[in-house]
Amino acid sequence: MRKYDVRFWPLCLPLWALLALSCRTRLYDEWELIEGGTPDLRVPDGAVLDLGPDLAGPRCGNGILEPGEACDDANAIDTDACRNGCVKARCGDGVLHLGVEFCDDGNTTDGDACKGNCGPPRCGDGVLDAGEGCDDGNKDSGDACLTTCVKAFCGDGFARAGVEQCDDGNQLDGDGCVAGCKSARCGDGFTFLGMEECDDANPVETDACLSRCVMARCGDGFLRTGVEECDDGNHDDSDACPGACKNARCGDGFAWSGHEECDDGNASNADACPSTCKNARCGDGFPRAGIEQCDDGNQTDLDFCDNACKAPVCGDGKKAGPELCDLGAMNGDQPAFLVSQPGGTSIGTNPLIRKQDSTSFYNYFSASSHTGLEKVGESRIYLYVDSSTGRLSLVTTHGIDFDATGQEQPKSTVDFDIAGIPPGFLIDVSDDPGEFTATGPSTAVGRWTFDHNSDGGVLGGLPFPGVWKITVAPKFMVGLTTWGWVRDDLQRIPMKMNETITIQAFDQSTMCRKSCTIPKCGDKILDGGEVCDDGNNVGGDGCAANCKSLQ
């Protein structure tokens, strides 16, 4: 800046200079002191007006603190600590104190564009500024205003004294601080993880969550509606409410003390604990598998199940159940005729009955029998009755006639020795002379050799009914491989080759058969003393009503 030193002395200072001096604040930007202490004025074009030493008296801006001045910093800067009016800069004077004030709007009112302390807006200064929810001027986040100048709220992480019980800064209701910033407690409706099993916010003990915040379970002592039938608070399976919390009942698998003897949980009546839940015992009406043969539920010893729960056994000497009799060891079968062998063969048999004599039945021609019962390679023996006379005979045949049947019987040899024949018997038929002959009053022999035909004979005149025992000792040498007894129904019962047979006749029956039935006329069994038994008690049908004669 160029300076022009124009000096005026007081005696010759023109009027316009004085006017200019009085208006310096409008004409000049600032004052300067030129070396020598002479007050200068800097004019806009840089010229300096020197008023001389005689005009420099007390004044604001001379750098001297004079009466009436609060300060004098000898400059014309209005934004420093000393205003141009020589008063100290202060907040609210309307002038921005550079470096000190943030703003100065000429008042100390808060809430307008410039704060009352002329400082910058900040959280914690106690002044509610734009963007702040609150500002209480302290550092306490436990009151209504956080240190962040946000209004305290549940979930801010700071427990508000007197208002909140807790504040963990989250919205989780499963921890120690639940919705509403209340400390977790049983009954608040929120399940406290790790502490509570459940929380349904009610004191009801009959739902799924008990009032102490544990899940309802069988044995907790509270009856859960719609789920449990009972709950007595224990795990005793022998009382009225067993472990499944269902009322004790027979068949639940738990023996109810004082009420049930047993309970195996099934409906089987054949095991050790039947469906009555009483220990199985003979007489309870339930046959126990593998233990009892029967159980009819009574104490009658002579019915179909005795008092030991055993089924009636024919031959035990006790008439029971379906038995008509039982004489124990005295039971026996005494049919009209019994055929047996030492090897175990035992046949109760009836004679064949035909209305012709035995010779006609034998039908001998072509040196052979033709009874219709012959068979290749087999010897057969049976009793025969002529129904017109009642005469009883013993018939035997060996092999079959080739000429009559075309079946080829190989060359055969067989011997019979017969003993025990009742007196008065006759040889009714002998195939060839001398083959079948009587050898004594009670003996006879048969010696047969044949080829391509049959052989045999008839021994007649046996008492009927009668009591006798005939033995037949066979000796099969060649050509015959089987031997059989023929019953009245034409069924062939095999007998052991070369083993003696005994044929017994009885004229009385036993009192009780081995089958525990009572022999009687009309039962279709030919018992000793009977001539016939056709299963009825009607006469004129070939068997008398009393089974004593053929009619």
Side-chain angles (χ1 to χ4, degrees):
M1 177 183 299
R2 292 184 302 140
K3 292 185 179 181
Y4 299 92
D5 193 5
V6 179
R7 300 181 184 275
F8 300 93
W9 298 106
L11 293 178
C12 57
L13 182 66
L15 180 59
W16 64 269
L18 293 175
L19 292 174
L21 179 62
S22 66
C23 298
R24 68 183 183 277
T25 58
R26 291 181 297 163
L27 300 176
Y28 301 101
D29 293 328
E30 59 181 337
W31 287 89
E32 278 190 1
L33 289 177
I34 301 175
E35 185 178 358
T38 303
D40 300 328
L41 281 176
R42 183 189 305 168
V43 296
D45 60 358
V48 177
L49 177 64
D50 188 358
L51 300 179
D54 293 335
L55 295 179
R59 60 182 175 82
C60 176
N62 60 7
I64 300 171
L65 185 63
E66 295 170 325
E69 294 179 333
C71 61
D72 195 324
D73 56 1
N75 65 48
I77 300 173
D78 203 24
T79 59
D80 56 9
C82 189
R83 298 280 307 280
N84 288 346
C86 290
V87 294
K88 290 182 179 180
R90 63 178 179 81
C91 176
D93 58 9
V95 178
L96 181 65
H97 187 178
L98 295 177
V100 176
E101 294 178 330
F102 179 76
C103 62
D104 197 320
D105 59 357
N107 63 60
T108 56
T109 301
D110 287 320
D112 56 9
C114 185
K115 293 178 59 176
N117 62 5
C118 296
R122 64 178 178 82
C123 178
D125 58 9
V127 177
L128 184 64
D129 297 310
E132 295 179 331
C134 60
D135 196 322
D136 57 3
N138 63 48
K139 300 295 184 181
D140 184 5
S141 287
D143 56 12
C145 188
L146 306 183
T147 57
T148 57
C149 291
V150 176
K151 289 182 179 179
F153 62 92
C154 179
D156 57 20
F158 303 102
R160 186 176 174 187
V163 177
E164 298 175 330
Q165 296 177 359
C166 60
D167 197 318
D168 55 4
N170 63 52
Q171 299 300 314
L172 299 177
D173 289 324
D175 54 13
C177 189
V178 301
C181 289
K182 295 182 179 181
S183 297
R185 63 176 179 80
C186 180
D188 58 14
F190 305 108
T191 302
F192 190 179
L193 298 179
M195 302 296 289
E196 297 175 333
E197 294 180 5
C198 59
D199 196 320
D200 58 2
N202 68 55
V204 176
E205 303 289 15
T206 59
D207 58 10
C209 187
L210 303 185
S211 62
R212 62 177 185 272
C213 292
V214 294
M215 295 297 294
R217 56 180 56 83
C218 179
D220 57 18
F222 300 104
L223 181 64
R224 186 174 176 190
T225 303
V227 177
E228 298 174 331
E229 294 178 1
C230 60
D231 197 319
D232 55 5
N234 64 51
H235 296 285
D236 184 359
D237 289 331
S238 64
D239 59 11
C241 186
C245 287
K246 294 184 180 293
N247 292 323
R249 59 177 60 85
C250 180
D252 59 13
F254 306 109
W256 186 4
S257 179
H259 293 78
E260 298 174 336
E261 294 178 1
C262 61
D263 197 319
D264 57 5
N266 65 52
S268 174
N269 286 320
D271 56 13
C273 186
S275 59
T276 58
C277 289
K278 294 182 181 295
N279 292 322
R281 57 178 60 84
C282 180
D284 59 13
F286 305 113
R288 187 175 176 189
I291 305 293
E292 299 173 333
Q293 294 178 3
C294 59
D295 197 319
D296 56 4
N298 65 49
Q299 297 300 311
T300 302
D301 203 33
L302 298 179
D303 57 8
F304 288 83
C305 187
D306 67 18
N307 290 344
C309 289
K310 293 182 179 179
V313 177
C314 181
D316 61 6
K318 181 172 61 177
K319 175 181 172 294
E323 298 175 340
L324 299 178
C325 60
D326 196 327
L327 300 178
M330 294 178 63
N331 288 353
D333 290 330
Q334 195 158 289
F337 302 102
L338 180 65
V339 179
S340 62
Q341 285 184 296
T345 301
S346 181
I347 307 166
T349 186
N350 297 355
L352 273 69
I353 301 176
R354 300 287 189 272
K355 196 172 183 177
Q356 61 184 145
D357 61 34
S358 60
T359 301
S360 300
F361 172 74
Y362 194 84
N363 194 17
Y364 178 77
F365 66 86
S366 183
S368 299
S369 64
H370 299 88
T371 66
L373 301 178
E374 291 79 12
K375 185 178 179 181
V376 175
E378 180 166 291
S379 178
R380 293 188 168 184
I381 187 169
Y382 47 90
L383 293 170
Y384 176 82
V385 172
D386 178 357
S387 64
S388 60
T389 64
R391 191 169 186 272
L392 178 67
S393 304
L394 178 65
V395 180
T396 182
T397 62
H398 314 294
I400 197 166
D401 181 24
F402 173 80
D403 291 340
T405 65
Q407 298 181 64
E408 187 170 338
Q409 172 64 40
K411 184 176 181 178
S412 305
T413 301
V414 58
D415 292 346
F416 274 7
D417 290 308
I418 304 174
I421 307 170
F425 75 91
L426 295 172
I427 301 297
D428 289 344
V429 178
S430 176
D431 255 0
D432 295 321
E435 285 186 330
F436 189 29
T437 61
T439 58
S442 59
T443 59
V445 296
R447 300 290 186 263
W448 296 283
T449 297
F450 50 97
D451 187 9
H452 279 73
N453 65 333
S454 67
D455 230 333
V458 178
L459 189 156
L462 300 177
F464 182 46
V467 178
W468 42 263
K469 181 189 294 185
I470 297 174
T471 60
V472 179
K475 186 177 182 181
F476 298 100
M477 288 168 277
V478 66
L480 298 172
T481 57
T482 57
W483 188 28
W485 182 273
V486 180
R487 299 189 318 192
D488 63 326
D489 58 3
L490 304 183
Q491 290 296 312
R492 170 195 168 275
I493 308 300
M495 294 188 295
K496 294 181 180 179
M497 300 287 287
N498 295 317
E499 188 172 296
T500 298
I501 67 169
T502 298
I503 306 168
Q504 288 182 272
F506 302 96
D507 63 356
Q508 289 185 353
S509 63
T510 60
M511 294 180 65
C512 188
R513 295 192 186 105
K514 289 182 179 180
S515 62
C516 289
T517 58
I518 298 174
K520 65 177 181 177
C521 175
D523 60 10
K524 212 172 182 177
I525 297 174
L526 190 65
D527 293 300
E530 294 180 334
V531 172
C532 59
D533 196 321
D534 57 2
N536 64 58
N537 298 111
V538 177
D541 58 358
C543 183
N546 61 3
C547 299
K548 296 297 184 181
S549 63
L550 298 171
Q551 293 181 352

